[in-house]
């Protein structure tokens, strides 16, 4: 755990060069470990997605998965989706129109059908508590080392978080390798720092849902999970 006192934030206008494109979907269930299959399906539908450096995929989560801090242990277990569940891509502004081609398509995710419906464009948030479900790490990296390495990378970006909490290690399977990652919560950022992290992310494998930060209401909501 890393903890300092709160810093003041100033008013800030969020640039629109990076946005989230949020799709309504029709899908009853997906495997817990669906990142690779979903990414591949999106790349088949949107061939440019794989090569677009700023593009990322938010993997799909549901309310009972604890915002990614708690997930079923069995990667073949199913997440049961509601009509409120969304599919979200983080994209540069110039790809918004291209991303519209995903609407109306039905994606095959390990034999589960996911139909993509209408989309809306959502700007990045000014909330100063951020959460990433998956930050890629090395096997055997403990919490203290993970936080120190993350802090070093943040400082190189000009980001100085006052509070950081990391979660348990997760495994993301692909045909070629096994990716190990930890969830990470940051709090009391400056608004400019928050937006920068949402724009740039941290680490590798954005197309598999890693390294992407999303806003979170309050770090206190997850602290008991780590006790």
């Amino acid at each position: 755990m890393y903890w300092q006192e709160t810093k003041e934030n100033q008013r800030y206008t969020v640039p629109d060069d990076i946005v989230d494109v949020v799709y309504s979907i029709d899908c009853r269930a997906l495997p817990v470990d669906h990142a690779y299959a979903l990414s591949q399906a999106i790349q088949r539908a949107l061939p440019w997605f794989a090569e677009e450096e700023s593009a990322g995929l938010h993997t799909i989560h549901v309310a009972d998965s604890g915002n990614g801090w708690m997930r079923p242990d069995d990667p073949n277990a199913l997440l049961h989706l509601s009509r409120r569940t969304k599919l979200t891509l983080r994209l540069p502004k110039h790809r918004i129109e291209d991303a519209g081609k995903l609407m109306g398509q039905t994606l095959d995710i390990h034999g589960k059908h996911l139909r993509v419906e209408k989309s809306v464009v959502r700007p990045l948030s000014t909330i100063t508590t951020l959460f990433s479900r998956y930050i890629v790490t090395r096997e055997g990296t403990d919490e203290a080392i993970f936080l120190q390495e993350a802090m070093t990378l943040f400082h190189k970006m000009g980001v100085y978080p006052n509070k950081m909490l990391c979660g348990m290690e997760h495994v993301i399977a692909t045909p070629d390798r096994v990716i190990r990652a930890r969830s990470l919560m940051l709090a009391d950022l400056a608004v400019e720092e928050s937006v920068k992290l949402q724009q740039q992310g941290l680490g590798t494998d954005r197309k598999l849902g890693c390294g992407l930060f999303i806003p979170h209401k309050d770090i206190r909501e997850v602290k008991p999970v780590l006790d």
Side-chain angles (χ1 to χ4, degrees), residues 3 10-13 24 33 43 49 58 93 108 119 128 138 144 157 168 172 195 204 211 215 219 223:
W3 210 273
Q10 300 176 348
R11 293 185 181 276
Y12 181 73
T13 300
S24 299
D33 193 356
Q43 290 175 46
F49 182 76
H58 296 274
K93 182 180 180 179
D108 186 338
S119 69
T128 58
R138 304 183 311 279
M157 297 170 63
M168 296 176 62
I172 301 171
V195 173
T204 62
I219 197 168
K223 186 177 179 183

Side-chain angles (χ1 to χ4, degrees), residues 25-31 38 41 60 81 83 105-116:
I25 59 174
D26 183 1
C27 182
R28 293 185 177 181
L30 287 176
L38 178 56
I60 294 174
L81 280 54
R83 289 294 295 174
Q105 299 205 39
T106 298
L107 309 180
D108 186 338
I109 317 297
H110 282 317
K112 303 297 182 182
H113 292 164
L114 185 155
R115 180 170 175 79
V116 184

Side-chain angles (χ1 to χ4, degrees), residues 20-128:
D20 281 337
V21 179
V22 184
Y23 301 87
S24 299
I25 59 174
D26 183 1
C27 182
R28 293 185 177 181
L30 287 176
V32 168
D33 193 356
H34 61 265
Y36 179 80
L38 178 56
S39 180
Q40 291 296 301
I42 290 171
Q43 290 175 46
R44 288 191 292 270
L46 304 175
W48 51 265
F49 182 76
E51 303 301 325
E52 182 62 63
E53 184 177 359
S54 299
L57 163 68
H58 296 274
T59 50
I60 294 174
H61 289 243
V62 295
D64 60 359
S65 62
N67 281 328
W69 292 85
M70 296 178 292
R71 298 278 273 173
D73 292 331
D74 182 358
N76 297 312
L78 294 180
L79 296 176
H80 295 280
L81 280 54
S82 74
R83 289 294 295 174
R84 296 188 300 274
T85 304
K86 307 296 183 184
L87 167 66
T88 304
L89 302 181
R90 183 155 292 172
L91 299 173
K93 182 180 180 179
H94 71 270
R95 286 298 189 182
I96 293 175
E97 183 176 353
D98 296 335
K101 297 176 182 178
L102 196 57
M103 290 186 290
Q105 299 205 39
T106 298
L107 309 180
D108 186 338
I109 317 297
H110 282 317
K112 303 297 182 182
H113 292 164
L114 185 155
R115 180 170 175 79
V116 184
E117 300 179 340
K118 64 181 180 179
S119 69
V120 297
V121 176
R122 185 172 64 198
L124 301 181
S125 175
T126 58
I127 289 176
T128 58

